[in-house]
Amino acid sequence: MSAGTGAVSMHGNKLRDNLLTALLLGPAAAWLVVFLVLPFIAIAVFSVGERAPEGGYQAAFTLAQYANLPARATAFWNTMMLAPMGALACLLVAYPVAYYLALQAPQRWRLILLALVVIPFWTSLLMRTYAWMYVLGGRGIPALLAYVGFEDIRLINTPGAVLLGIVYGYLPLMILPIYVSLERLDRRLLEASADLGATPLSTFLGVTLKLSLPGVMTGFSLVMILLLGEYLIPTLLGGGKVFFIGNALVDLFLQSRNWPFGSAIAITLVLVSVVVLIAANRISTQVSGARRVDLI
Amino acid sequence: MRAFVIAVFAFLYLPIALVVLFSFNAGHHASELTGFSVQWYGKALANPFLVEALKNSLFIATTSASLAALCGTAAALGLARVSVRTRAVFDALLGAAIVVPGVVIGISTLVALVQLFAVVNPFLASIWPYDQPPRLSLGYGSIIAAHGLFSMALVTMIVGTRLGSLDRNLVEASSDLYATPLTTFRSIVLPQIMPAVVAGYLLAFTFSFDDFIVAFFVAGAQTTLPIYVFASIRRGVTPEINAIATIVLVASVLLVVLAQWQLRQRKPSN
């Protein structure tokens, strides 16, 4: 009986229901349109425009800005080299940690250890990068090395320092999805594999690694995409010597004020990100038959 | 494997620990470990520019997190009521708001707002009857809006996940017992999603308080704490920065621990 009255009142209140839904979704929808969709359309329009003589934008329809992309080849080259390398370095460090946390750590320690991994990610990247600037800078490790007899060792403002900063900054984001996919893994599969005579190595390669691939691909693509837009780490630890796309964008928008060219670079960056996401999805679907891992 | 994991944890926490340690060092440099002192905290808090930047950051973080918690929670509730297709469009946009790098969000918001102001400001001037027409410009509003975009998407996802695991039987039982939809919402749904809302608020606050790159583009003439610290770092590393960094790190860690603890709460406390 209650179901019947429910259905009738639902029908009678259909208008009110729709109004409520609209009220609930309205503010979020407006926010997404005004501050995500419209700005994206704006830079897409700018990217086919021309630079006004005094800086800024002049309406046009030309692909000249895109043709000019090689002018920033160094920034693209550095980013396209260091972003995948950084993501790979993160992965090599993150996998054993995630494996230990998910499969070997004592149960009561697991969540505490996981929280200890997550916490740095939510603290200021600026402050954490600054910490390495301090440690690698002239008065940090080089001073210690000079004390024991190795003079003039330069650590900061090198590609190595940037790579270290990248691993430090993004390690938690790589550990988390791998942990999630390993934690879901059916342990009976591992036992079955061992019972059927597989060596530990082939069990790892054929079962564990394969089934945790969605987590690996999620972490890899997220880290890679965020690295494509990274500015702080190359600026603070690369000291202006290691130029990323992020540095080029800051220069073009805040210093030399060539907005159309900057917009073309930003659109290219977004397109590369989309390609990375699609590729990561496809790889994980083909190998393990599962889509990427949702983090939240 | 255990040794490796321990080494990674040391790698994660040692640099932070060193900054905290040296913020209490009486000497100027790491090489002069001359004793315990809080002088750098005193110096930092006596710096009017820094205090101003800190106040700005607190105001922006509080406002953007509150708006994000409100709109995000409403959106999560709304998304439970719409068709699969509408939901998919929303989810895609929310995912984009989270995944698109901050540098792109900053740039595109800057470009869009500058174009918008170029249209709106002359219009305001033409209809304003008095001498000083109001002029829209980059500042608090643009930072709050840009931070709020990411934060709102985050809150929507966190609250949406909690709503998905909500016990449907309780909601049905409540309406079977003739509770009005509002009563059911207040006494059943709200208490269950509240930890997720609080966790979302805290993470949104932390994000806004710590963000540098988005604010860097849309701050206009305003200064936030990360922008101030970035500018000082580029001028040279000083012990005051260690003190500020320590304050910011400790504050963020407290907020994140609180948020994690809220998310682990399975049931409302009463």
Side-chain angles (χ1 to χ4, degrees):
Chain A
M1 180 203 131
S2 69
T5 40
V8 168
S9 76
M10 222 197 295
H11 185 71
N13 291 332
K14 188 138 189 163
L15 187 70
R16 219 179 64 183
D17 258 29
N18 285 341
L19 196 66
L20 179 60
T21 308
L23 275 177
L24 287 171
L25 285 177
W31 211 325
L32 286 169
V33 169
V34 175
F35 291 102
L36 183 71
V37 179
L38 288 183
F40 190 75
I41 294 174
I43 58 168
V45 170
F46 264 55
S47 74
V48 294
E50 275 169 0
R51 182 180 190 226
E54 69 279 11
Y57 165 74
Q58 195 170 321
F61 186 77
T62 164
L63 291 176
Q65 308 301 340
Y66 288 95
N68 197 24
L69 286 178
R72 295 282 173 164
T74 319
F76 273 100
W77 175 251
N78 280 337
T79 312
M80 294 306 176
M81 289 303 289
L82 275 173
M85 265 173 66
L88 192 65
C90 271
L91 176 63
L92 292 178
V93 179
Y95 202 94
V97 177
Y99 186 88
Y100 178 82
L101 290 185
L103 298 172
Q104 296 193 338
Q107 188 71 41
R108 65 202 162 94
W109 280 93
R110 195 166 288 167
L111 286 178
I112 296 172
L113 289 174
L114 191 66
L116 282 175
V117 167
V118 176
I119 286 166
F121 185 70
W122 280 102
T123 63
S124 165
L125 179 66
L126 173 64
M127 301 306 176
R128 284 185 296 138
T129 308
Y130 164 74
W132 274 109
M133 225 181 134
Y134 193 73
V135 171
L136 297 179
R139 301 197 180 102
I141 293 177
L144 278 177
L145 288 176
Y147 187 74
V148 293
F150 296 96
E151 300 277 347
D152 287 333
I153 300 231
R154 185 173 187 77
L155 295 175
I156 201 162
N157 302 347
T158 58
V162 175
L163 193 63
L164 183 81
I166 286 171
V167 174
Y168 189 67
Y170 291 99
L171 189 59
L173 193 60
M174 186 68 91
I175 294 178
L176 203 58
I178 301 177
Y179 169 85
V180 170
S181 60
L182 281 173
E183 221 249 326
R184 281 184 200 155
L185 190 127
D186 189 344
R187 273 145 232 236
R188 285 171 305 183
L189 289 176
L190 303 181
E191 285 162 25
S193 171
D195 288 350
L196 293 170
T199 61
L201 182 68
S202 61
T203 302
F204 175 77
L205 292 176
V207 182
T208 317
L209 189 60
K210 197 173 164 190
L211 290 177
S212 63
L213 205 71
V216 170
M217 288 332 274
T218 302
F220 195 88
S221 52
L222 279 181
V223 171
M224 174 96 181
I225 287 171
L226 290 178
L227 282 179
L228 289 177
E230 187 51 55
Y231 169 73
L232 276 176
I233 297 174
T235 307
L236 295 181
L237 297 176
K241 293 204 173 68
V242 186
F243 237 61
F244 264 41
I245 296 178
N247 300 70
L249 288 171
V250 169
D251 172 49
L252 286 168
F253 276 89
L254 299 179
Q255 275 122 38
S256 54
R257 288 184 61 80
N258 189 346
W259 289 18
F261 185 36
S263 299
I265 293 182
I267 293 281
T268 311
L269 198 156
V270 171
L271 291 179
V272 173
S273 308
V274 171
V275 170
V276 169
L277 269 184
I278 292 174
N281 247 335
R282 180 149 303 173
I283 292 174
S284 93
T285 320
Q286 282 193 348
V287 176
S288 67
R291 282 189 72 245
R292 53 193 234 97
V293 172
D294 286 322
L295 278 187
I296 303 171
Chain B
M1 174 101 77
R2 233 175 107 182
F4 181 78
V5 173
I6 293 171
V8 170
F9 274 95
F11 169 70
L12 279 177
Y13 283 91
L14 265 182
I16 301 178
L18 280 176
V19 168
V20 175
L21 179 71
F22 285 113
S23 75
F24 292 109
N25 179 19
H28 262 273
H29 309 313
S31 46
E32 316 169 0
L33 259 178
T34 43
F36 177 86
S37 157
V38 290
Q39 60 163 324
W40 305 118
Y41 289 85
K43 285 226 167 95
L45 294 176
N47 177 346
F49 298 108
L50 194 126
V51 174
E52 182 64 27
L54 178 65
K55 278 186 193 160
N56 285 344
S57 275
L58 286 174
F59 171 70
I60 290 165
T62 314
T63 317
S64 73
S66 306
L67 287 171
L70 215 62
C71 298
T73 307
L77 291 167
L79 283 179
R81 306 159 59 93
V82 295
S83 67
V84 179
R85 187 181 286 180
T86 315
R87 212 191 149 107
V89 172
F90 248 93
D91 281 345
L93 287 175
L94 293 169
I98 288 182
V99 161
V100 172
V103 72
V104 176
I105 297 282
I107 285 168
S108 51
T109 313
L110 171 72
V111 169
L113 285 180
V114 167
Q115 291 308 104
L116 185 73
F117 295 160
V119 176
V120 171
N121 279 334
F123 174 72
L124 279 178
S126 70
I127 59 162
W128 194 250
Y130 309 107
D131 266 350
Q132 293 275 313
R135 272 183 64 83
L136 298 178
S137 62
L138 296 170
Y140 291 129
S142 50
I143 309 175
I144 289 168
H147 282 177
L149 176 72
F150 175 92
S151 302
M152 183 204 58
L154 188 72
V155 172
T156 310
M157 289 199 169
I158 295 176
V159 176
T161 307
R162 176 57 73 108
L163 268 179
S165 63
L166 193 97
D167 192 347
R168 289 263 146 216
N169 292 329
L170 284 175
V171 178
E172 275 166 28
S174 170
S175 59
D176 284 352
L177 293 168
Y178 301 107
T180 63
L182 189 65
T183 313
T184 305
F185 175 74
R186 270 215 318 247
S187 54
I188 307 287
V189 180
L190 198 58
Q192 290 215 39
I193 62 169
M194 213 47 204
V197 177
V198 173
Y201 178 89
L202 293 172
L203 291 179
F205 184 96
T206 315
F207 163 75
S208 169
F209 192 70
D210 289 343
D211 166 75
F212 165 76
I213 194 71
V214 176
F216 193 45
F217 283 101
V218 300
Q222 293 296 342
T223 307
T224 63
L225 190 62
I227 292 178
Y228 180 83
V229 170
F230 178 75
S232 337
I233 290 175
R234 300 208 76 184
R235 283 198 299 271
V237 170
T238 63
E240 283 107 314
I241 298 178
N242 287 339
I244 307 165
T246 303
I247 296 173
V248 171
L249 287 171
V250 169
S252 323
V253 168
L254 282 180
L255 288 173
V256 177
V257 169
L258 210 60
Q260 293 279 333
W261 179 71
Q262 282 287 328
L263 276 178
R264 299 255 169 263
Q265 300 240 304
R266 293 275 167 223
K267 287 172 188 149
S269 47
N270 52 348

